[in-house]
């Protein structure tokens, strides 16, 4: 029988720095705090509406009064940025999505009210895309089954200007048309909104993880899919091209969406650009954790915090997550 040889470690013992919680906290390379989080909201035209989204426990489509109340509560917990998605009035969806730029739209009214209520304590960000407003559900103008690129730019510019005019601090185009960042930047500047920040959904993949969101935003395409404009998830180098193109066009801030299955892309974009970078922890990621936790299969709090930390470690500065309010509460406890 061979003799068992036990060697002791050398001078290096990596466990030394893990001995106590205080020591571990002191040497931790990555943190996540409420100041890193953005909470998305779905705003309905009816002021007192509150419609729970079955596939996203804890999340609802809300009218202005409830949105303001919720945002006030989250603000007290330290959530200082919100991303607004809108809905037109019933019957307001058209082929060109014109209601997206209406001065009295749900998002525009929410921007005005939130800035009046919370001033510069709250960063109001808006999603800029036509899919919630077009009757066909695509993110641009549709012609014979094709989403037209250049014809889609003007309505997106009008939508972004209407948000800036209503007081939005940040507009965030999510349509993935080529050239939209430059077009929106020029449009904002020409309209006198040169200080409005432009956060580009620079790298948005055609992902199955958006499933629950489509119920929330009521934006499922009536026909076809979004693969001719959103990115193919088999491509990582192309993701960096998308990001650098938006930097070139004048974006102030970039985003990768979804987050957890795309940590490699977050890292690649982080290394390729000096801009602030967000990761969007999307509905499918959120709902999967909620469903597993509801079954008692995972520890919701631990898994959520570990996932968000992984996104930060991969290089995301800012996290857009439906769990923002809960996370802020956990971090306080
Ligand atoms: Zn869209």
């Amino acid at each position: 029988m061979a003799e068992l040889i036990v060697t002791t470690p050398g001078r290096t013992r990596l466990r030394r720095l893990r001995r106590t919680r205080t020591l571990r906290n002191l040497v931790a390379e990555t943190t996540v705090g409420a100041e890193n989080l953005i909470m998305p909201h779905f705003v309905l035209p009816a002021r007192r509406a509150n419609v729970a989204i079955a596939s996203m426990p804890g999340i609802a489509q809300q009218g202005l009064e409830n949105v303001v109340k919720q945002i006030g509560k989250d603000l007290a917990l330290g959530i200082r940025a919100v991303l607004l998605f809108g809905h037109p009035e019933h019957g307001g969806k058209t082929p060109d999505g014109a209601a997206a730029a209406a001065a009295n739209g749900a998002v525009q009214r929410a921007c005005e009210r939130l800035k009046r209520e919370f001033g510069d304590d709250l960063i109001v960000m808006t999603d800029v895309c036509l899919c919630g407003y077009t009757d066909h559900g695509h993110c641009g103008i549709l012609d014979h089954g094709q989403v037209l690129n250049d014809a889609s730019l003007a309505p997106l510019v009008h939508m972004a200007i209407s948000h800036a005019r209503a007081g939005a601090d940040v507009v965030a185009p999510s349509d993935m048309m080529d050239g939209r960042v430059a077009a929106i930047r020029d449009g904002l500047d020409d309209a006198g909104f040169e200080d409005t920040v432009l956060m580009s959904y620079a790298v948005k993949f055609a992902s199955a993880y958006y499933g629950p969101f489509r119920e929330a935003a009521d934006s499922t395409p009536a026909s076809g899919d979004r693969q001719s404009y959103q990115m193919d998830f088999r491509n990582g180098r192309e993701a960096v091209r998308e990001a650098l193109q938006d930097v070139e066009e004048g974006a102030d801030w970039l985003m990768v969406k979804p987050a957890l299955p795309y940590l490699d892309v977050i890292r690649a974009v982080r290394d390729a650009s000096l801009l602030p970078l967000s990761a969007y922890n999307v509905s499918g990621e959120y709902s999967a954790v909620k469903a597993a936790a509801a079954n008692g299969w995972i520890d919701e709090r631990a898994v959520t915090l570990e996932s968000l930390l992984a996104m930060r470690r991969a290089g995301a500065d800012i996290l857009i997550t439906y769990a923002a309010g809960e996370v802020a509460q956990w971090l306080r406890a």
Side-chain angles (χ1 to χ4, degrees):
M1 197 171 160
E3 192 185 345
L4 184 65
I5 301 171
V6 179
T7 55
T8 55
R11 294 185 190 90
T12 303
R13 288 177 182 267
L14 292 171
R15 286 187 53 196
R16 272 186 208 121
L17 291 172
R18 299 177 199 149
R19 194 174 56 81
T20 70
R21 172 186 286 273
T22 311
L23 196 50
R24 291 193 295 273
N25 286 345
L26 195 63
V27 299
E29 299 171 27
T30 314
T31 57
V32 64
E35 66 278 9
N36 306 123
L37 307 178
I38 298 171
M39 178 70 190
H41 291 275
F42 303 101
V43 192
L44 292 175
R47 300 179 70 83
R48 301 191 188 283
N50 191 38
V51 182
I53 302 163
S55 57
M56 299 175 71
I59 305 297
Q61 300 168 301
Q62 294 178 314
L64 188 52
E65 298 307 324
N66 290 316
V67 167
V68 170
K69 225 181 283 176
Q70 184 63 49
I71 289 175
K73 275 189 211 159
D74 286 349
L75 194 58
L77 292 168
I79 304 296
R80 299 196 165 275
V82 294
L83 176 59
L84 306 181
F85 294 85
H87 287 261
E89 299 281 354
H90 188 66
K93 297 194 180 201
T94 53
D96 63 354
N104 63 351
V107 165
Q108 289 83 351
R109 280 188 287 135
C111 289
E112 283 165 11
R113 174 72 182 279
L114 289 168
K115 292 314 288 185
R116 206 164 55 232
E117 199 93 18
F118 303 114
D120 283 341
D121 287 342
L122 182 75
I123 305 295
V124 176
M125 311 173 62
T126 58
D127 180 83
V128 174
C129 194
L130 302 178
C131 54
Y133 301 86
T134 52
D135 55 4
H136 46 76
H138 278 286
C139 303
I141 303 299
L142 194 65
D143 185 35
H144 295 92
Q146 298 292 319
V147 174
L148 302 179
N149 192 87
D150 297 8
S152 302
L153 299 182
L156 290 165
V157 171
H158 292 143
M159 184 181 188
I161 291 173
S162 75
H163 292 171
R165 184 167 286 130
D169 299 291
V170 181
V171 293
S174 64
D175 52 283
M176 289 300 280
M177 299 302 129
D178 284 321
R180 94 278 208 206
V181 168
I184 291 172
R185 182 73 269 163
D186 287 350
L188 288 170
D189 291 356
D190 288 348
F193 299 109
E194 52 279 293
D195 287 334
T196 303
V197 173
L198 200 161
M199 175 180 77
S200 172
Y201 284 65
V203 184
K204 183 178 180 184
F205 289 95
S207 170
Y209 280 87
Y210 304 148
F213 173 95
R214 300 224 168 125
E215 179 193 342
D218 187 20
S219 63
T220 309
S223 64
D225 55 43
R226 295 191 167 101
Q227 293 181 21
S228 79
Y229 43 105
Q230 294 180 348
M231 264 200 62
D232 187 327
F233 52 72
R234 293 172 292 190
N235 297 348
R237 294 193 306 267
E238 186 190 357
V240 175
R241 290 187 71 194
E242 279 283 2
L244 294 179
Q245 178 65 39
D246 287 0
V247 175
E248 194 69 22
E249 290 183 27
D252 299 295
W253 173 353
L254 302 174
M255 189 213 290
V256 172
K257 179 180 182 180
L260 201 56
Y262 296 89
L263 297 182
D264 58 325
V265 175
I266 293 172
R267 170 48 57 190
V269 172
R270 171 70 294 150
D271 289 345
S273 158
L274 299 175
L275 269 53
L277 177 62
S278 292
Y280 201 136
N281 175 223
V282 302
S283 58
E285 300 173 55
Y286 172 85
S287 298
V289 171
K290 284 283 179 193
N295 277 293
W297 295 336
I298 58 169
D299 177 335
E300 179 180 357
R301 173 181 165 153
V303 166
T304 301
L305 290 174
E306 183 178 335
S307 302
L308 295 178
L309 259 178
M311 294 163 207
R312 294 262 298 150
R313 194 187 60 236
D317 305 299
I318 302 146
L319 308 174
I320 304 165
T321 176
Y322 300 99
E326 286 168 301
V327 170
Q329 261 164 346
W330 296 334
L331 293 176
R332 288 201 152 197

